Amino acid sequence: MKKSLLILAAALMAAGVAQADTLKKIKETGKVVMGVRESSQPLSYTLGSGKYVGYHVEICERVLADIRKQLGLSQLTVEYVPVTSQNRIPLVQNGTVDIECGSTTNNQARQQQVAFALTTYVTEVRMAVNAKSGITSINQLNGKTVVTTTGTTSVQHLRKHERAGGIDFKEIYGKDHADSFLILESGRADAFVMDDNLLAGLIATSKSPSDFKIVGEVLSVEPIAIMMRKDDPAFKKAVDDSIRNMMKSGEINKLYDKWFMQPIPPKNVSVSLPMGGTLKAAIANPNDNPMEAYAKK
């Protein structure tokens, strides 16, 4: 049985005993458990040997450093526990994980189960094209072939966009993100529609990154945030206050530049994804609005 499944099994056995007062738990034990992802570059990922890094991991480490000071602790042990898309919410709910620092979308359904900190990343669904194609907008896709990954809703977002009216394009699907990018890379598709951070990561690690670029209108917006247990306002306030201070001081912008614009480990390549306007607005006016609030705009 994989470690992640063992963790989930233990979590389910412990269901119903979650600490409602996380700050009290941290002060009494001198320990906090951080949920992390293994392959959500550059937000949260592993370098191997139990080392986890990324934009959201570093934000959480700074938040926990502030909480250590707030609680008057001389030391605070941080235990890193890898989580998956399937087990992250139950592990937060039952107290196995105190703070989840991965790549989780804040939406109304999840807000019924957990709490989210202030939005610190916003994924925008856009399209990647060959840099020489001349394509810069949805209205240039008529007669073209568009690829996306099986099981995603990206092409649905494309079809719903106002500029897609009267545009006739062919849809094809890759079995995973890497396969979809290969279809674009080999010229079998003219555009690949997906989350911008995933597109940027695939381009950065491709054989010839300068051959591709992300273009076009934003098709969908999803706020990504640090996740905590629900009904623990003191802990949420401590996390939000720390993040808000990082936003006011400009520290968040420096962390974004470090993880999205500079070379990052392990391959020492840059994602090269400048901060979008939606995230800039969220930093200027901090909020924990769910995805649905963005869709109404």
Side-chain angles (χ1 to χ4, degrees):
M1 182 181 289
K2 292 183 179 180
K3 183 178 180 180
S4 59
L5 294 178
L6 288 170
I7 293 172
L8 177 58
L12 293 173
M13 291 175 65
V17 296
Q19 282 271 2
D21 190 340
T22 306
L23 292 178
K24 180 181 179 183
K25 173 186 175 184
I26 293 173
K27 187 166 186 176
E28 290 178 347
T29 63
K31 172 185 168 183
V32 63
V33 181
M34 182 194 297
V36 288
R37 301 297 296 267
E38 295 195 317
S39 59
S40 290
Q41 295 94 330
L43 297 175
S44 180
Y45 63 103
T46 183
L47 297 178
S49 303
K51 175 66 174 177
Y52 293 89
V53 297
Y55 173 69
H56 267 167
V57 171
E58 190 160 350
I59 288 175
C60 274
E61 289 172 340
R62 297 188 182 208
V63 165
L64 295 174
D66 286 343
I67 288 175
R68 179 186 64 77
K69 294 176 184 175
Q70 176 184 331
L71 296 177
L73 295 172
S74 58
Q75 291 185 327
L76 177 61
T77 300
V78 180
E79 180 183 352
Y80 297 82
V81 172
V83 300
T84 67
S85 297
Q86 290 73 36
N87 69 17
R88 56 189 167 181
I89 288 179
L91 290 179
V92 168
Q93 285 180 303
N94 65 22
T96 302
V97 167
D98 297 309
I99 185 167
E100 193 259 355
C101 310
S103 52
T104 302
T105 297
N106 174 2
N107 63 29
Q108 290 179 344
R110 288 173 177 166
Q111 285 190 357
Q112 303 304 311
Q113 307 172 71
V114 293
F116 289 93
L118 300 174
T119 296
T120 40
Y121 184 70
V122 180
T123 285
E124 296 178 341
V125 177
R126 299 179 68 194
M127 59 182 175
V129 299
N130 189 298
K132 297 179 180 178
S133 68
I135 297 173
T136 59
S137 174
I138 294 171
N139 57 23
Q140 293 173 285
L141 294 179
N142 196 42
K144 305 293 186 181
T145 298
V146 176
V147 62
T148 193
T149 304
T150 299
T152 67
T153 58
S154 298
V155 169
Q156 294 176 27
H157 293 314
L158 176 58
R159 290 204 175 280
K160 290 178 181 177
H161 196 277
E162 57 186 0
R163 290 204 173 188
I167 303 297
D168 184 22
F169 56 85
K170 178 184 177 183
E171 298 171 29
I172 57 177
Y173 295 89
K175 62 184 179 181
D176 53 31
H177 300 320
D179 188 43
S180 295
F181 188 79
L182 180 60
I183 291 172
L184 172 69
E185 194 173 35
S186 62
R188 287 175 286 158
D190 301 286
F192 174 18
V193 179
M194 186 48 60
D195 294 358
D196 57 1
N197 59 312
L198 294 172
L199 293 176
L202 290 163
I203 290 173
T205 55
S206 67
K207 296 176 183 176
S208 182
S210 62
D211 285 351
F212 303 94
K213 60 182 180 180
I214 298 172
V215 300
E217 299 81 356
V218 175
L219 304 176
S220 177
V221 174
E222 297 189 8
I224 311 298
I226 292 163
M227 185 167 59
M228 301 157 288
R229 276 182 290 285
K230 193 175 172 64
D231 300 325
D232 191 352
F235 186 57
K236 174 173 167 51
K237 182 179 184 304
V239 174
D240 283 350
D241 285 350
S242 178
I243 292 173
R244 189 177 287 105
N245 288 336
M246 282 189 264
M247 290 177 169
K248 286 182 178 178
S249 68
E251 198 63 25
I252 283 283
N253 297 70
K254 293 178 182 176
L255 290 176
Y256 187 95
D257 181 74
K258 174 182 177 179
W259 290 102
F260 288 87
M261 299 300 293
Q262 304 300 321
I264 59 174
K267 294 185 177 180
N268 201 37
V269 296
S270 172
V271 174
S272 298
L273 183 64
M275 185 182 291
T278 310
L279 180 54
K280 288 180 181 177
I283 292 174
N285 296 285
N287 66 80
D288 58 3
N289 293 335
M291 180 178 69
E292 289 78 3
Y294 291 78
K296 293 175 182 176
K297 295 179 180 178

